[in-house]
Amino acid sequence: MSFPSVNEQMDLIRRGTVEILPEEELVKKIERSIKKNIPLVIKQGFDPTAPDIHLGHTVGIRKLRHFQELGHRVVVIIGDYTAMVGDPSEKNSTRPKLAHETVMEHAQTYRRQFMKILDEEKTEVRYNGEWFSKMSFAEIMNLASKFTVARMLERDDFSKRYAGRQPISIHEFFYPLMQAYDSVVIRADVELGATEQKFNLVIGRNIQKEFGQEPQIVLTLPVLEGLDGKQRMSKSLGNYIGIDEAPADMYGKTLSIPDELILRYFELVTDVSGKELAQIARQLQHPETNPRDLKRYLARTIVRMYHGEQESIRAEEAFDRIFIKKDIPDEMPEVHISSDEVRIDDLILLTKTADSKGQARRLVKGGGVSIDGRKISDPFYMVRIKDGRVLKVGKRRFVKLKR
RNA sequence: GGGGAGGUUGCGGAGCGGUCAAACGCAACAGACUGUAAAUCUGUCGGCUGAAUGCCUUCGGAGGUUCGAAUCCUCCCCUCCCCA
């Protein structure tokens, strides 16, 4: 096969990246790859600590996709072992160690979700337990001897925690070393990661040298802000859009991002061309533009990427119906109730639209509950159960009742 | 090994014998408003009971003192700091 020219490759590679360290070295690697007709090995690691991939992850995955389009070989490392250590990056406290079983379950889901974006044919998935589970203590000590405590403590979160008298376990020091060793094993030419990963990525270079290899190129990508517009998108903060989520949720969540993030989302998580991106930027500057319209377009675009054109249109229609016309969705879960009458608080509990009866009653008293569009404010109101009646709890929990 | 400070409800953090299901902030949830699931304002925020000066579970763990313990004592586990 033949590769695109160096310039073409660099153009695509540079799109949306924060840093390429060092860029000249990457150019050299690409030149050599073209000359010898050998693809580069592009690596990114993922810790399956939570089962869902969200848009934040896709920033990197989409970059991997770019490399695939350029003909390179992508190796995704699923950190089944590193996940058990827990990456301390951007955390001010020790992460819980996860059971290997849980991690492996998550890993399966990850793999499936990756392939929504990557070309399965050109993707190699490796679990780092493959080598770490076989390492002897002597080998581990050898790896550990190649780095110093002082250099470890240069890392921002370690130094902060150290200064803030927060615990740092020794095993956490192994995280960057393990990640680096992954690069050694697969002989990575390039490793991608979010900017906060820079430290770990750079250690990869050092450790590869220690093992007599040519160091990898470090390519950093921006960290995507979550729905709140401030903190990074992450599962644990609950401000994320998962790529497996239902169209309606994806659509609604996208609309809830702050307006300032519209362009950034277009740039980092969609396929719109550079040209269109520039046009969107101009429109956003224009006083006549209602940012809402662009945000709706963004929401449709995102839903379309993961669910197709049809679903994206339906999601928008459903959203308008529920939130603008205050109507009910056309599809909602049905719950069978086997008696004629049920008190509203019990009904809420039966339909699992609240977690406890106390909460159910509070919701009723607060005016958050309605039956067939009629607000119920008495927590002891008896509801006659008839096929097709609609219970609404809060803004977006709807249940259709069935006898 | 020695000395000191700590572990409180999702998080941060008060409380230090009854008035404590435990201040306050954040997050979350609901209501009003809105192009929006944003912002803002208001309310709620352990569970159960038709609701109250009621019952149950919760302040690292296990025992104990007391009419009564998040608060006092004993042992254990965990963390941070200083010294070695």
Side-chain angles (χ1 to χ4, degrees), chain A residues 64 89 171 248:
Chain A
L64 289 174
S89 277
H171 80 280

Side-chain angles (χ1 to χ4, degrees), chain A residues 65-196:
Chain A
R65 171 81 206 193
H66 291 161
F67 276 103
Q68 285 184 329
E69 286 165 8
L70 297 173
H72 298 294
R73 218 178 101 214
V74 164
V75 181
V76 171
I77 306 280
I78 293 190
D80 58 327
Y81 253 58
T82 30
M84 292 190 294
V85 173
D87 180 12
S89 277
E90 291 297 308
K91 293 276 166 182
N92 53 10
S93 67
T94 311
R95 270 208 216 171
K97 292 187 278 290
L98 295 176
H100 193 247
E101 245 172 75
T102 319
V103 167
M104 289 309 279
E105 278 168 30
H106 294 170
Q108 280 305 318
T109 329
Y110 262 42
R111 194 184 180 125
R112 181 180 54 73
Q113 294 178 81
F114 283 141
M115 297 315 163
K116 287 189 169 187
I117 297 169
L118 296 176
D119 179 345
E120 188 148 19
E121 303 280 291
K122 295 182 192 161
T123 308
E124 195 181 323
V125 178
R126 305 282 292 271
Y127 292 79
N128 62 11
E130 189 190 318
W131 42 92
F132 287 126
S133 64
K134 292 184 197 126
M135 254 175 132
S136 72
F137 197 72
E139 287 171 304
I140 294 166
M141 294 313 280
N142 178 48
L143 177 61
S145 72
K146 300 194 186 301
F147 215 70
T148 67
V149 171
R151 290 220 51 199
M152 247 340 145
L153 286 174
E154 282 172 22
R155 194 164 120 167
D156 192 49
D157 55 281
F158 282 142
S159 57
K160 267 192 200 140
R161 275 162 64 188
Y162 192 63
R165 299 176 175 184
Q166 296 290 315
I168 301 170
S169 299
I170 298 292
H171 80 280
E172 293 183 73
F173 278 176
F174 274 88
Y175 189 95
L177 294 177
M178 289 167 82
Q179 185 171 338
Y181 190 71
D182 290 341
S183 293
V184 172
V185 172
I186 66 157
R187 297 184 163 268
D189 288 302
V190 179
E191 180 166 9
L192 321 188
T195 46
E196 64 188 24

Side-chain angles (χ1 to χ4, degrees), chain A residues 304-344:
Chain A
R304 178 160 20 88
M305 289 171 72
Y306 298 100
H307 296 284
E309 182 74 32
Q310 197 73 20
E311 287 295 329
S312 71
I313 294 164
R314 288 189 59 198
E316 182 160 281
E317 286 168 357
F319 185 90
D320 289 351
R321 186 157 50 234
I322 298 166
F323 295 105
I324 297 178
K325 298 196 194 112
K326 306 275 184 209
D327 206 344
I328 56 170
D330 56 355
E331 273 172 44
M332 57 192 115
E334 294 188 348
V335 176
H336 288 261
I337 305 292
S338 51
S339 51
D340 295 328
E341 273 197 328
V342 179
R343 212 169 65 194
I344 188 74

Side-chain angles (χ1 to χ4, degrees), chain A residues 172-229:
Chain A
E172 293 183 73
F173 278 176
F174 274 88
Y175 189 95
L177 294 177
M178 289 167 82
Q179 185 171 338
Y181 190 71
D182 290 341
S183 293
V184 172
V185 172
I186 66 157
R187 297 184 163 268
D189 288 302
V190 179
E191 180 166 9
L192 321 188
T195 46
E196 64 188 24
Q197 282 285 312
K198 190 165 156 183
F199 182 91
N200 293 349
L201 300 175
V202 170
I203 291 188
R205 288 175 60 80
N206 293 300
I207 300 296
Q208 279 176 311
K209 272 189 245 172
E210 292 284 343
F211 281 88
Q213 293 184 14
E214 184 180 292
Q216 65 187 9
I217 308 304
V218 167
L219 190 154
T220 58
L221 295 156
V223 175
L224 186 71
E225 291 82 0
L227 303 179
D228 56 353

Side-chain angles (χ1 to χ4, degrees), chain A residues 24 26 46 52 59 71 104 106 156 171 175 181 246-247 256 263 285 315 319 357 359-360 366 376 388:
Chain A
E24 327 73 69
L26 177 59
F46 292 88
D52 297 316
V59 177
M104 289 309 279
H106 294 170
D156 192 49
H171 80 280
Y175 189 95
Y181 190 71
S256 78
L263 188 64
Q285 294 298 314
F319 185 90
K357 201 176 273 192
Q359 196 192 352
I376 306 294

Side-chain angles (χ1 to χ4, degrees), chain A residues 257-267 280 284 291-292 294-295 298:
Chain A
I257 64 168
D259 293 350
E260 309 80 69
L261 246 51
I262 295 174
L263 188 64
R264 192 161 167 85
Y265 269 54
F266 268 116
E267 182 187 7
I280 291 165
L284 280 167
R292 179 191 90 127
L294 285 167
K295 208 194 278 184
L298 172 67

Side-chain angles (χ1 to χ4, degrees), chain A residues 1-15 26 30 33-34 37-40 42 62-74 119 122 219:
Chain A
M1 71 174 292
S2 67
F3 295 97
S5 74
V6 175
N7 283 343
E8 273 176 81
Q9 293 203 34
M10 289 304 291
D11 278 350
L12 185 56
I13 291 168
R14 277 196 205 99
R15 191 186 295 173
L26 177 59
I30 291 174
S33 141
I34 293 172
N37 200 28
I38 298 171
L40 297 177
I42 316 299
R62 290 167 43 72
K63 182 53 68 185
L64 289 174
R65 171 81 206 193
H66 291 161
F67 276 103
Q68 285 184 329
E69 286 165 8
L70 297 173
H72 298 294
R73 218 178 101 214
V74 164
D119 179 345
K122 295 182 192 161
L219 190 154

